[in-house]
Amino acid sequence: MATPDSTQFSLYKLLDRHLMERLMKRTGTGAAVTIRGLADLVGVPHGTIGNLLTGEQESVIEPTANAICGVIGVDLLILFAPHGRSTRHTGRPRIEVAA
């Protein structure tokens, strides 16, 4: 029996970027968290959090969505919904080529 590939994760789409921004102002502990602070606690580049808040990025992989919700102090499905197919995550940033 094959074991599941641990680098394959589901994508989760942010449901409401304005809600995320409001929740960052008062997390489950009552404290505010900045974009950089949230990124540091989640372990992602601060651009990931910033892009989610501006709408430039809509989805993240499941572990990132769970980590964001854990820091903010809400259940996963408050901010995110499963979206699309699973994706392989190599830990390397995606390079976009201009057409």
Side-chain angles (χ1 to χ4, degrees):
M1 180 175 194
T3 58
D5 184 351
S6 63
T7 61
Q8 186 131 355
F9 298 111
S10 297
L11 287 175
Y12 276 72
K13 183 176 181 177
L14 181 64
L15 297 172
D16 185 342
R17 60 190 170 105
H18 301 292
L19 176 59
M20 181 173 156
E21 188 173 28
R22 286 192 308 273
L23 290 170
M24 287 173 60
K25 292 178 182 176
R26 186 174 175 134
T27 65
T29 65
V33 64
T34 64
I35 291 171
R36 286 187 185 270
L38 180 57
D40 288 344
L41 292 168
V42 171
V44 297
H46 69 273
T48 299
I49 304 300
N51 290 341
L52 284 170
L53 292 174
T54 63
E56 188 173 327
Q57 181 175 341
E58 295 181 345
S59 301
V60 292
I61 58 174
E62 184 178 6
T64 302
N66 273 313
I68 289 170
C69 291
V71 171
I72 291 176
V74 297
D75 289 334
L76 176 66
L77 297 178
I78 298 294
L79 282 179
F80 293 93
H83 176 69
R85 295 181 168 202
S86 296
T87 183
R88 284 198 185 281
H89 178 64
T90 62
R92 294 181 291 165
R94 192 179 296 180
I95 299 173
E96 294 187 25
V97 179

